[in-house]
Amino acid sequence: MGRKFKCAIIGYGYMGEIRHRVIDKLENTEVTIICELDFTKIKGPQSFEIVTDPTVVIESNVDVVFICTPNHLIPELTVECLKTGKHVFAEKPPGRTLEDIKYMIAAEKQNLDTKLMFGFNHRFHPGMMKAKALVDSGNMGKVIALRGLYGKSGGKNFSKSWRNDINISGGGILLDQGIHMLDLFNYFLGGFTSVKSFLSNNQWSFDVEDNAVVVLKNEAGQLAMLHSSATFWKHMFQLDIILEFGYLKLEGLLSKTGSYGRETLIIGNRQFEDEAEAVGNPSEETIYFDTDLSWELEVKKFFDCILNNKKVEECNSSDAYNAMKLVEWSYKDSGFSTYHQEEI
Amino acid sequence: MERAIVHSDLTKNKIQPELLLEKYIELLNLDIQKFFTEELLEKVFCPVSGEKAVSRSFIKMDMQYNFSKTHGNIYLSPRPSINTLKQFYKDSEARKFWLKDLWPKTQAARKDKIILPQLQWANGFISQYFQKKEILLAEYYPNHWGYSNSAQEVFQEAKYFLVEPLFDPEISGIPLNDLCLVENVPQASLDAVFLFEALDRSTDPNELLTKASNSLKSGGLCFITSLLSSGFEVQLLGEKSEIFVPPERMNILSFEGMNELIKNLGHFEVLEFSTPGVFDIPNVVESLNGLDNSSFFEYIFKKRQDIEIKNSFQDYLQMNRLGTFARLVLRKK
């Protein structure tokens, strides 16, 4: 890299801090502006400008903007940054509705010199990359079905979170966290043509769902099933990939707190009755992963696209649209939310 | 970094039938007398660090194994030169017996339970790190052609070379075009290299790993399998362990020694370091009698008669990289 990219971060909560750490680690990037209302969130030496008005970022000379705000602010900020020629890395979910992502895509098309990427970092987790490579190698045959569980423990301040205010978030656990799993469903299968879903807010009685069960099918007859929940009472991530000649089971996610458990990938090979092994209990290999480089890898990929003027191939606006479409479709099919009424 | 826990129904008698193994050892004893006469052996120090200090030594089949003081690497000293070793692998009656008698009788089990799973393990990483399928692969210092023969099943579009095979190519029937001398491997030409127990049988593991590394392109992968002196079996049985078979086991590095070897070279990032073997417990159980301080293991492995204890203990060894068989994946920086 010959030049140094000036970066701004809008929103300095959990994600903003992570993005800052990653940008600092890269060789030719520097954070020059942070936009945040609560200055106390910004710790450590400050070699950057701190502002409260995002317009300052939009009108600045930064090259790249990381938008780490609550969902309702993402579309407008993304569009304004793209319009002023800035590359944008926006967190997921990409807004609150499918309309939001369409709005951002329109701006992207009008500003072809800019790059737009969304933070679907689960694709870059070591277990997921390994699973994807195994599936893509074709040695285990075609994917038959996917089964995902993704959930949170709730917590003391859960009821006060902006994530449960539909006007800010646009949806509950399905949009907040389930969208990661839906993106992974698209990553491994895609092309879903049928969606059935049941959503419920029985436990917390917020305007947004606290549990969602979504079943999907594509034209090839491949199936996927998700249970996204804010009431698992523990942090939980599990993705089963059932293939022609075996299965992969991803459990746990490496994270800052380790609350999702150790990240593991179990590889099982199909064994039939005529084989020597115990039927129904094939030998398995369990791989444990020690290091999560997902945040670094996705941001590196983004900068690689900018520097080398490459098309954003992964976690791009199409991926965001496709994941959001499944969310929107689920809301619509369940009849749970009147917030999402767009025709799919 | 990754680590794996592997469950397998592989048993020793499937790959090392007792009678054939006895015959092999008998021949090997004779060959050692014949090929490794005193004047052909050279005294060496720890093959990883050059450390002179030795914590203890023992003699196996008339050859001496030393334990390096700092890391507990176990190594033959004095040892044959590379040329003497090559001569041994080419003309030894024991090796001919292994290739012509033992190998054909155990080939099916070895292929099914060891060779194909290891090639598929490698293929998992290759699929992850390379977009293309037409890749160049090389196996260094193979002492049989089992991997090479099965490679086509796993890497359909790859080219697989054998570098400095330690067997007579005429017995194997492998085309000469697929064989090459280590000096003739072009620098930075290969996508992946395999060192299947090659560091164990190498006269100089540092040199071998350096050559393998030099032959790799940037981002290329190096797959290693090896036995470790830090493994449960060696730690518990010491010289009673049957893994000490010279000259095949020239170097048995510890977990720390292996890490030091890689770190000192400085060419690689370690993607995986696992000890996924399944023989530690059966081998220990077989040799428990007469061991000092073995009552706890007598109790849990023999008296309790609970397969779950053995299984969970095996998992524990693998999980914590305390097994005797190791596999590693390195990526060239």
Side-chain angles (χ1 to χ4, degrees):
Chain A
M1 279 194 204
R3 55 175 295 209
K4 200 149 192 164
F5 289 104
K6 288 181 180 156
C7 303
I9 298 170
I10 306 180
Y12 204 77
Y14 181 79
M15 288 314 305
E17 190 274 330
I18 287 176
R19 299 302 176 196
H20 190 180
R21 180 169 48 80
V22 171
I23 296 164
D24 278 355
K25 268 191 195 171
L26 298 179
E27 272 180 18
N28 291 298
T29 54
E30 62 177 333
V31 173
T32 56
I33 309 176
I34 289 178
C35 176
E36 170 59 49
L37 295 172
D38 180 0
F39 283 15
T40 62
K41 287 181 180 173
I42 304 164
K43 308 270 193 311
Q46 294 168 2
S47 56
F48 39 80
E49 188 183 353
I50 301 173
V51 300
T52 53
D53 182 359
T55 313
V56 178
V57 173
I58 293 161
E59 291 173 355
S60 73
N61 65 348
V62 298
D63 305 293
V64 181
V65 181
F66 286 78
I67 300 176
C68 310
T69 62
N71 309 353
H72 67 304
L73 300 173
I74 286 177
E76 196 59 39
L77 289 171
T78 299
V79 168
E80 289 305 314
C81 288
L82 290 174
K83 275 185 189 170
T84 53
K86 294 171 178 59
H87 307 290
V88 175
F89 187 102
E91 298 302 337
K92 65 82 217 170
R96 291 172 291 180
T97 62
L98 198 59
E99 195 58 38
D100 282 345
I101 180 68
K102 284 181 182 171
Y103 177 51
M104 290 185 272
I105 288 172
E108 183 187 28
K109 282 183 180 163
Q110 285 166 8
N111 296 280
L112 292 173
D113 291 338
T114 59
K115 306 292 175 196
L116 174 61
M117 189 167 171
F118 291 90
F120 289 106
N121 77 308
H122 287 38
R123 293 181 181 214
F124 297 95
H125 267 264
M128 205 60 68
M129 292 200 296
K130 184 111 194 160
K132 182 75 167 123
L134 289 169
V135 170
D136 288 351
S137 76
N139 291 335
M140 299 183 82
K142 287 180 193 156
V143 174
I144 296 169
L146 304 170
R147 183 176 57 228
L149 294 176
Y150 203 179
K152 282 185 174 177
S153 62
K156 197 169 68 172
N157 297 317
F158 186 62
S159 59
K160 294 175 195 152
S161 169
W162 61 262
R163 288 181 169 81
N164 297 315
D165 180 340
I166 195 160
N167 291 315
I168 296 175
S169 65
I173 193 69
L174 178 64
L175 180 62
D176 176 38
Q177 206 181 40
I179 195 167
H180 270 305
M181 193 66 88
L182 293 172
D183 175 60
L184 293 173
F185 285 0
N186 281 330
Y187 192 43
F188 282 99
L189 274 184
F192 294 107
T193 49
S194 306
V195 174
K196 301 284 177 199
S197 68
F198 296 93
L199 274 64
S200 160
N201 62 351
N202 276 1
Q203 175 61 30
W204 297 104
S205 302
F206 300 139
D207 291 339
V208 297
E209 75 285 358
D210 51 45
N211 274 276
V213 174
V214 181
V215 183
L216 307 108
K217 184 180 168 186
N218 67 14
E219 276 189 352
Q222 294 162 300
L223 307 174
M225 184 173 75
L226 163 66
H227 184 182
S228 173
S229 173
T231 63
F232 279 165
W233 311 130
K234 67 177 281 190
H235 285 179
M236 185 190 291
F237 178 88
Q238 186 181 316
L239 173 61
D240 295 350
I241 304 169
I242 299 144
L243 298 119
E244 275 179 287
F245 308 124
Y247 56 88
L248 302 170
K249 183 190 275 281
L250 285 143
E251 281 182 317
L253 276 180
L254 285 165
S255 65
K256 203 160 74 173
T257 59
S259 62
Y260 283 91
R262 298 186 82 141
E263 189 162 329
T264 61
L265 172 65
I266 296 173
I267 305 167
N269 290 305
R270 185 182 84 175
Q271 283 164 351
F272 280 160
E273 288 82 345
D274 57 345
E275 290 170 341
E277 333 296 332
V279 176
N281 188 22
S283 300
E284 291 180 337
E285 174 170 339
T286 306
I287 300 170
Y288 290 78
F289 300 91
D290 295 343
T291 318
D292 173 23
L293 294 173
S294 62
W295 307 115
E296 283 85 351
L297 289 175
E298 67 174 348
V299 170
K300 266 187 187 171
K301 200 150 215 168
F302 179 55
F303 279 107
D304 180 50
C305 292
I306 297 170
L307 190 69
N308 299 304
N309 196 22
K310 288 183 193 165
K311 194 177 166 195
V312 179
E313 297 283 0
E314 269 191 88
C315 308
N316 57 21
S317 55
S318 296
D319 293 327
Y321 176 88
N322 289 331
M324 193 60 131
K325 191 172 104 174
L326 296 181
V327 171
E328 190 101 357
W329 207 340
S330 303
Y331 282 127
K332 202 171 173 214
D333 183 74
S334 68
F336 178 80
S337 169
T338 52
Y339 201 85
H340 301 266
Q341 287 301 316
E342 181 145 352
E343 281 303 315
I344 307 296
Chain B
M1 198 200 300
E2 296 179 19
R3 69 182 79 185
I5 292 184
V6 178
H7 296 151
S8 163
D9 66 340
L10 177 65
T11 54
K12 235 168 78 168
N13 64 356
K14 282 184 184 164
I15 56 166
Q16 293 178 344
E18 207 170 331
L19 288 177
L20 292 175
L21 193 66
E22 276 173 17
K23 175 76 177 167
Y24 174 64
I25 297 294
E26 186 188 316
L27 291 170
L28 195 56
N29 267 307
L30 295 172
D31 283 337
I32 284 172
Q33 305 298 327
K34 183 178 162 187
F35 286 91
F36 302 134
T37 52
E38 206 179 325
E39 69 275 12
L40 290 175
L41 301 180
E42 300 159 3
K43 190 176 175 189
V44 296
F45 302 117
C46 173
V48 173
S49 63
E51 183 183 37
K52 291 180 183 175
V54 167
S55 62
R56 63 191 168 107
S57 303
F58 66 88
I59 304 289
K60 195 83 173 216
M61 299 168 85
D62 272 349
M63 299 193 84
Q64 179 168 312
Y65 279 105
N66 292 337
F67 289 67
S68 76
K69 197 169 179 186
T70 306
H71 287 321
N73 297 319
I74 304 175
Y75 57 97
L76 273 184
S77 178
R79 63 174 51 190
S81 66
I82 182 69
N83 288 333
T84 307
L85 188 73
K86 283 180 184 173
Q87 197 67 42
F88 163 83
Y89 275 104
K90 185 170 170 284
D91 295 331
S92 137
E93 290 302 319
R95 289 309 303 167
K96 282 179 189 162
F97 173 79
W98 199 97
L99 294 170
K100 289 178 175 173
D101 293 83
L102 204 152
W103 165 250
K105 290 189 175 73
T106 57
Q107 187 179 356
R110 283 175 187 270
K111 182 180 172 184
D112 190 33
K113 301 294 178 189
I114 299 175
I115 293 172
L116 281 178
Q118 285 185 4
L119 292 175
Q120 278 153 357
W121 156 68
N123 194 33
F125 280 90
I126 286 170
S127 306
Q128 189 174 342
Y129 286 92
F130 299 106
Q131 301 298 319
K132 57 177 185 171
K133 296 203 169 179
E134 305 84 8
I135 51 173
L136 291 179
L137 310 170
E139 181 184 349
Y140 278 70
Y141 289 176
N143 66 354
H144 64 83
W145 48 87
Y147 290 98
S148 159
N149 276 2
S150 299
Q152 194 64 32
E153 287 178 43
V154 178
F155 311 109
Q156 281 99 2
E157 294 168 57
K159 184 78 189 148
Y160 194 100
F161 296 98
L162 295 178
V163 182
E164 300 268 9
L166 297 172
F167 55 81
D168 184 351
E170 279 185 27
I171 309 177
S172 70
I174 290 175
L176 289 176
N177 282 346
D178 294 350
L179 310 172
C180 61
L181 294 171
V182 71
E183 291 76 18
N184 296 342
V185 181
Q187 304 268 304
S189 60
L190 301 171
D191 296 294
V193 296
F194 299 102
L195 305 180
F196 291 124
E197 301 187 19
L199 291 172
D200 301 29
R201 68 178 76 98
S202 158
T203 51
D204 186 342
N206 262 315
E207 187 186 63
L208 173 58
L209 194 57
T210 304
K211 283 178 176 170
S213 165
N214 290 343
S215 71
L216 280 171
K217 296 172 186 168
S218 174
L221 300 176
C222 176
F223 297 92
I224 296 171
T225 64
S226 178
L227 297 187
L228 294 182
S229 63
S230 48
F232 178 64
E233 177 184 342
V234 181
Q235 287 293 313
L236 207 70
L237 300 183
E239 64 188 270
K240 277 185 75 180
S241 165
E242 288 178 3
I243 70 161
F244 296 107
V245 181
E248 182 70 8
R249 303 296 174 198
M250 188 92 70
N251 318 287
I252 302 162
L253 309 184
S254 64
F255 174 77
E256 292 74 16
M258 184 65 83
N259 276 321
E260 190 186 6
L261 174 73
I262 296 160
K263 192 178 160 196
N264 286 350
L265 192 60
H267 296 182
F268 291 111
E269 168 197 6
V270 181
L271 300 180
E272 179 186 337
F273 195 149
S274 304
T275 63
V278 292
F279 288 162
D280 283 271
I281 293 175
N283 287 350
V284 162
V285 169
E286 222 174 78
S287 304
L288 268 177
N289 289 341
L291 271 191
D292 294 336
N293 302 319
S294 64
S295 60
F296 177 64
F297 294 109
E298 289 267 2
Y299 175 68
I300 64 168
F301 294 145
K302 288 188 168 175
K303 193 166 180 187
R304 284 286 282 269
Q305 294 284 313
D306 183 349
I307 190 69
E308 278 311 310
I309 293 182
K310 284 185 188 171
N311 290 344
S312 57
F313 198 85
Q314 188 71 61
D315 283 359
Y316 166 81
L317 295 177
Q318 293 192 14
M319 181 69 209
N320 295 290
R321 299 176 176 130
L322 293 168
T324 299
F325 171 76
R327 74 180 198 195
L328 295 91
V329 188
L330 315 179
R331 187 162 190 245
K332 192 172 175 186
K333 291 176 186 166

